[in-house]
mmCIF file of all heavy atoms in Angstrom:
data_model
loop_
_atom_site.group_PDB
_atom_site.id
_atom_site.type_symbol
_atom_site.label_atom_id
_atom_site.label_comp_id
_atom_site.label_asym_id
_atom_site.label_seq_id
_atom_site.Cartn_x
_atom_site.Cartn_y
_atom_site.Cartn_z
ATOM 1 N N ARG B 32 52.047 21.805 6.447
ATOM 2 C CA ARG B 32 51.825 21.907 5.006
ATOM 3 C C ARG B 32 50.912 23.086 4.710
ATOM 4 O O ARG B 32 50.020 23.379 5.495
ATOM 5 C CB ARG B 32 51.108 20.651 4.474
ATOM 6 C CG ARG B 32 51.933 19.404 4.552
ATOM 7 C CD ARG B 32 51.970 18.745 3.203
ATOM 8 N NE ARG B 32 53.087 17.812 3.133
ATOM 9 C CZ ARG B 32 53.059 16.703 2.402
ATOM 10 N NH1 ARG B 32 51.982 16.407 1.707
ATOM 11 N NH2 ARG B 32 54.107 15.915 2.357
ATOM 12 N N LEU B 33 51.134 23.704 3.558
ATOM 13 C CA LEU B 33 50.231 24.758 3.106
ATOM 14 C C LEU B 33 49.646 24.352 1.767
ATOM 15 O O LEU B 33 50.362 23.878 0.885
ATOM 16 C CB LEU B 33 50.979 26.090 2.967
ATOM 17 C CG LEU B 33 51.558 26.675 4.252
ATOM 18 C CD1 LEU B 33 52.373 27.930 3.936
ATOM 19 C CD2 LEU B 33 50.474 26.999 5.271
ATOM 20 N N TYR B 34 48.350 24.524 1.629
ATOM 21 C CA TYR B 34 47.651 24.140 0.403
ATOM 22 C C TYR B 34 47.194 25.409 -0.309
ATOM 23 O O TYR B 34 46.289 26.080 0.157
ATOM 24 C CB TYR B 34 46.458 23.252 0.730
ATOM 25 C CG TYR B 34 46.886 21.941 1.350
ATOM 26 C CD1 TYR B 34 47.205 21.870 2.702
ATOM 27 C CD2 TYR B 34 46.998 20.785 0.580
ATOM 28 C CE1 TYR B 34 47.622 20.674 3.275
ATOM 29 C CE2 TYR B 34 47.414 19.589 1.140
ATOM 30 C CZ TYR B 34 47.727 19.547 2.492
ATOM 31 O OH TYR B 34 48.147 18.351 3.036
ATOM 32 N N LEU B 35 47.854 25.754 -1.404
ATOM 33 C CA LEU B 35 47.587 27.026 -2.064
ATOM 34 C C LEU B 35 46.840 26.828 -3.378
ATOM 35 O O LEU B 35 47.450 26.540 -4.416
ATOM 36 C CB LEU B 35 48.920 27.743 -2.317
ATOM 37 C CG LEU B 35 49.699 28.025 -1.022
ATOM 38 C CD1 LEU B 35 51.186 28.117 -1.298
ATOM 39 C CD2 LEU B 35 49.178 29.281 -0.356
ATOM 40 N N PRO B 36 45.516 26.971 -3.366
ATOM 41 C CA PRO B 36 44.751 26.825 -4.606
ATOM 42 C C PRO B 36 45.184 27.883 -5.616
ATOM 43 O O PRO B 36 45.579 28.994 -5.240
ATOM 44 C CB PRO B 36 43.304 27.054 -4.176
ATOM 45 C CG PRO B 36 43.283 26.881 -2.700
ATOM 46 C CD PRO B 36 44.645 27.278 -2.222
ATOM 47 N N LEU B 37 45.112 27.539 -6.897
ATOM 48 C CA LEU B 37 45.513 28.499 -7.929
ATOM 49 C C LEU B 37 44.448 29.554 -8.156
ATOM 50 O O LEU B 37 44.692 30.566 -8.781
ATOM 51 C CB LEU B 37 45.805 27.748 -9.242
ATOM 52 C CG LEU B 37 47.046 26.858 -9.150
ATOM 53 C CD1 LEU B 37 47.227 26.047 -10.431
ATOM 54 C CD2 LEU B 37 48.280 27.709 -8.881
ATOM 55 N N GLN B 38 43.264 29.270 -7.669
ATOM 56 C CA GLN B 38 42.216 30.270 -7.803
ATOM 57 C C GLN B 38 41.691 30.656 -6.435
ATOM 58 O O GLN B 38 40.831 30.006 -5.864
ATOM 59 C CB GLN B 38 41.059 29.754 -8.652
ATOM 60 C CG GLN B 38 39.954 30.782 -8.738
ATOM 61 C CD GLN B 38 39.275 30.791 -10.067
ATOM 62 O OE1 GLN B 38 39.071 29.759 -10.675
ATOM 63 N NE2 GLN B 38 38.916 31.977 -10.531
ATOM 64 N N GLN B 39 42.238 31.763 -5.915
ATOM 65 C CA GLN B 39 41.773 32.249 -4.628
ATOM 66 C C GLN B 39 41.054 33.569 -4.820
ATOM 67 O O GLN B 39 40.825 34.314 -3.880
ATOM 68 C CB GLN B 39 42.952 32.438 -3.669
ATOM 69 C CG GLN B 39 43.770 31.195 -3.485
ATOM 70 C CD GLN B 39 44.868 31.389 -2.458
ATOM 71 O OE1 GLN B 39 44.715 32.141 -1.505
ATOM 72 N NE2 GLN B 39 45.984 30.717 -2.648
ATOM 73 N N HIS B 40 40.739 33.902 -6.032
ATOM 74 C CA HIS B 40 40.221 35.225 -6.365
ATOM 75 C C HIS B 40 39.146 35.094 -7.435
ATOM 76 O O HIS B 40 39.014 34.064 -8.082
ATOM 77 C CB HIS B 40 41.379 36.065 -6.902
ATOM 78 C CG HIS B 40 42.166 35.345 -7.948
ATOM 79 N ND1 HIS B 40 43.334 34.667 -7.647
ATOM 80 C CD2 HIS B 40 41.927 35.106 -9.253
ATOM 81 C CE1 HIS B 40 43.787 34.074 -8.750
ATOM 82 N NE2 HIS B 40 42.948 34.326 -9.731
ATOM 83 N N ALA B 41 38.407 36.192 -7.621
ATOM 84 C CA ALA B 41 37.453 36.228 -8.722
ATOM 85 C C ALA B 41 38.241 36.361 -10.019
ATOM 86 O O ALA B 41 39.248 37.051 -10.062
ATOM 87 C CB ALA B 41 36.534 37.430 -8.541
ATOM 88 N N GLY B 42 37.822 35.687 -11.071
ATOM 89 C CA GLY B 42 38.514 35.788 -12.352
ATOM 90 C C GLY B 42 39.189 34.485 -12.723
ATOM 91 O O GLY B 42 38.820 33.411 -12.250
ATOM 92 N N ALA B 43 40.216 34.588 -13.581
ATOM 93 C CA ALA B 43 40.878 33.385 -14.089
ATOM 94 C C ALA B 43 41.898 32.847 -13.088
ATOM 95 O O ALA B 43 42.518 33.609 -12.348
ATOM 96 C CB ALA B 43 41.570 33.704 -15.411
ATOM 97 N N ALA B 44 42.055 31.527 -13.067
ATOM 98 C CA ALA B 44 43.014 30.887 -12.163
ATOM 99 C C ALA B 44 44.442 31.280 -12.549
ATOM 100 O O ALA B 44 44.716 31.633 -13.691
ATOM 101 C CB ALA B 44 42.844 29.374 -12.212
ATOM 102 N N ALA B 45 45.351 31.219 -11.570
ATOM 103 C CA ALA B 45 46.757 31.531 -11.848
ATOM 104 C C ALA B 45 47.434 30.302 -12.460
ATOM 105 O O ALA B 45 46.946 29.186 -12.349
ATOM 106 C CB ALA B 45 47.449 31.947 -10.565
ATOM 107 N N LEU B 46 48.594 30.556 -13.110
ATOM 108 C CA LEU B 46 49.309 29.493 -13.806
ATOM 109 C C LEU B 46 50.592 29.175 -13.031
ATOM 110 O O LEU B 46 51.395 30.076 -12.783
ATOM 111 C CB LEU B 46 49.672 30.016 -15.203
ATOM 112 C CG LEU B 46 49.775 28.995 -16.305
ATOM 113 C CD1 LEU B 46 48.428 28.340 -16.552
ATOM 114 C CD2 LEU B 46 50.278 29.683 -17.566
ATOM 115 N N PRO B 47 50.799 27.907 -12.658
ATOM 116 C CA PRO B 47 51.958 27.589 -11.808
ATOM 117 C C PRO B 47 53.281 27.894 -12.520
ATOM 118 O O PRO B 47 53.425 27.671 -13.714
ATOM 119 C CB PRO B 47 51.827 26.088 -11.567
ATOM 120 C CG PRO B 47 50.488 25.697 -12.043
ATOM 121 C CD PRO B 47 49.992 26.750 -12.967
ATOM 122 N N LEU B 48 54.260 28.393 -11.758
ATOM 123 C CA LEU B 48 55.595 28.685 -12.288
ATOM 124 C C LEU B 48 56.629 27.762 -11.668
ATOM 125 O O LEU B 48 57.804 27.846 -11.959
ATOM 126 C CB LEU B 48 55.978 30.142 -11.978
ATOM 127 C CG LEU B 48 55.135 31.224 -12.644
ATOM 128 C CD1 LEU B 48 55.492 32.581 -12.064
ATOM 129 C CD2 LEU B 48 55.377 31.206 -14.136
ATOM 130 N N VAL B 49 56.202 26.924 -10.728
ATOM 131 C CA VAL B 49 57.131 26.049 -10.018
ATOM 132 C C VAL B 49 56.779 24.597 -10.313
ATOM 133 O O VAL B 49 55.703 24.300 -10.831
ATOM 134 C CB VAL B 49 57.072 26.291 -8.494
ATOM 135 C CG1 VAL B 49 57.670 27.642 -8.144
ATOM 136 C CG2 VAL B 49 55.629 26.184 -7.994
ATOM 137 N N GLU B 50 57.710 23.722 -9.962
ATOM 138 C CA GLU B 50 57.458 22.293 -10.152
ATOM 139 C C GLU B 50 57.658 21.577 -8.843
ATOM 140 O O GLU B 50 58.299 22.099 -7.926
ATOM 141 C CB GLU B 50 58.412 21.742 -11.210
ATOM 142 C CG GLU B 50 57.954 22.084 -12.606
ATOM 143 C CD GLU B 50 59.008 21.744 -13.654
ATOM 144 O OE1 GLU B 50 59.940 20.970 -13.326
ATOM 145 O OE2 GLU B 50 58.880 22.257 -14.779
#
Side-chain angles (χ1 to χ4, degrees):
Chain B
R32 293 233 161 149
L33 297 175
Y34 296 81
L35 300 154
L37 292 175
Q38 178 144 37
Q39 304 184 32
H40 49 263
L46 209 64
L48 295 171
V49 290
E50 281 171 16

